[in-house]
Amino acid sequence: MLDRNRQIVPEIATSDREAQFGIKHRVEIPALRFVALTIAYDGTHFCGSQRQVNGPSVQGEVERALEVVLKHPATVSMAGRTDAGVHALGQCARFVTTNPMPAEKFVPALNRVLDKAVRVLDSREVDESFHPRFSAKSRVYRYWIENAPIPNPLLRGIAGHIVKPLNADAMQSAASAFIGEQDFAAWQSAGSPNGPTIRNVHRVEIRRSEAFGSALLEIEIEANAFLYQMVRNIVGALIKVGQGDLTAEEIRFLTANRDRTQCPPPAPPQGLCLVEVRY
């Protein structure tokens, strides 16, 4: 078996004459390196984080930039899939290379060639066993709501706009219905891949903040993993609670019933951001 750290192939002759006289050269095969990136992006003009055929994706853009920097193609694995219009401050990605560039140098090198909607915040060498998705202990998403009669145009790409006043205290109280390990089949959207629907939501926190002179409501959710559009669907339900149209007991009933068609619609994508992946 070849040593990954310093692979040597001793049986290569560089010419017919060298082969004739039994002269052989030692050829070094560069070691494989595994590099993790922390990536932030504005998802407004991407069809999502995962590479797709119907438009530009974050993965496709990062892989394009990597090929320029590495001088060879590289496939990127990501911690989580975000939909069209969804943003990230802490998406994690990993690639494999034989390029000897120091890991920290990938930050400026990639940012020089990436679309300005995507920035690499950190790069580090990791063990071969590290996988952005399967090694993660939890993910943290944050949803911003602008609760105002007239929307601030500076927030249109980063916050969902709700006109009807929201009762934040009622929303926080009802959020307890989502806490814990449960079957969240009712809170995944159509088109989800087949598989287990049990997830463990660690916390749901609702707080007030401000941006560009407008008051915002932040909903932050942490779980071990999420189903397709699960965060947006939970936020959609909490908005209904804040408007007085849904209760915590009704949320528990909907969860137990496992019927997505009986649940409120998802919140718009632009208010959602993947804040952090925890390992």
Side-chain angles (χ1 to χ4, degrees), residues 26-276:
R26 294 165 63 86
V27 178
E28 291 190 356
I29 298 177
L32 290 180
R33 302 171 61 216
F34 300 84
V35 180
L37 306 174
T38 302
I39 303 172
Y41 51 84
D42 175 353
T44 302
H45 300 297
F46 290 107
C47 62
S49 61
Q50 191 172 40
R51 190 190 315 106
Q52 300 177 48
V53 297
N54 62 334
S57 66
V58 177
Q59 181 183 9
E61 174 59 19
V62 172
E63 289 177 347
R64 180 198 65 78
L66 278 171
E67 186 166 0
V68 173
V69 171
L70 299 174
K71 311 304 181 187
H72 67 75
T75 300
V76 167
S77 301
M78 305 184 88
R81 177 179 178 178
T82 57
D83 297 334
V86 175
H87 316 296
L89 289 172
Q91 176 72 268
C92 182
R94 191 200 76 166
F95 65 92
V96 182
T97 185
T98 56
N99 190 299
M101 179 185 293
E104 66 275 10
K105 297 296 185 183
F106 285 110
V107 174
L110 288 169
N111 285 337
R112 278 194 292 269
V113 295
L114 278 166
D115 184 287
K116 292 189 184 301
V118 183
R119 294 290 91 176
V120 175
L121 306 179
D122 178 67
S123 57
R124 61 200 181 280
E125 200 141 0
V126 293
D127 187 79
E128 180 181 359
S129 63
F130 174 82
H131 191 283
R133 177 183 173 191
F134 301 115
S135 299
K137 289 183 170 56
S138 69
R139 287 91 169 157
V140 180
Y141 279 88
R142 189 177 300 153
Y143 194 96
W144 286 283
I145 298 172
E146 183 188 14
N147 191 196
I150 301 173
N152 184 333
L154 298 181
L155 294 171
R156 63 177 183 162
I158 58 174
H161 177 242
I162 303 296
V163 174
K164 189 175 178 180
L166 297 174
N167 184 332
D169 292 335
M171 294 167 70
Q172 183 66 75
S173 178
S176 62
F178 291 110
I179 303 296
E181 187 174 78
Q182 303 181 66
D183 187 337
F184 283 92
W187 305 102
Q188 65 176 347
S189 291
S192 300
N194 294 327
T197 52
I198 303 294
R199 296 293 186 270
N200 190 346
V201 174
H202 303 324
R203 62 185 177 90
V204 181
E205 296 177 0
I206 299 169
R207 51 183 176 260
R208 297 193 179 277
S209 63
E210 184 179 316
F212 300 110
S214 294
L216 295 176
L217 202 62
E218 294 181 358
I219 301 177
E220 188 166 286
I221 305 177
E222 180 177 2
N224 65 330
F226 291 92
L227 299 168
Y228 177 53
Q229 292 190 350
M230 178 175 157
V231 179
R232 289 171 55 197
N233 289 329
I234 288 175
V235 172
L238 290 175
I239 288 171
K240 289 297 183 182
V241 171
Q243 294 173 334
D245 299 327
L246 194 66
T247 67
E249 284 307 310
E250 288 170 328
I251 288 174
R252 293 187 179 93
F253 173 81
L254 292 170
T255 301
N257 203 34
R258 303 181 75 252
D259 185 356
R260 173 65 202 149
T261 64
Q262 301 301 310
C263 299
Q270 70 270 18
L272 185 59
C273 181
L274 173 57
V275 175
E276 184 182 0

Side-chain angles (χ1 to χ4, degrees), residues 4-21:
R4 279 181 175 273
N5 294 323
R6 213 61 177 173
Q7 300 170 12
I8 306 295
V9 180
E11 299 297 328
I12 296 179
T14 58
S15 70
D16 292 341
R17 181 173 178 81
E18 289 171 341
Q20 180 183 352
F21 291 98

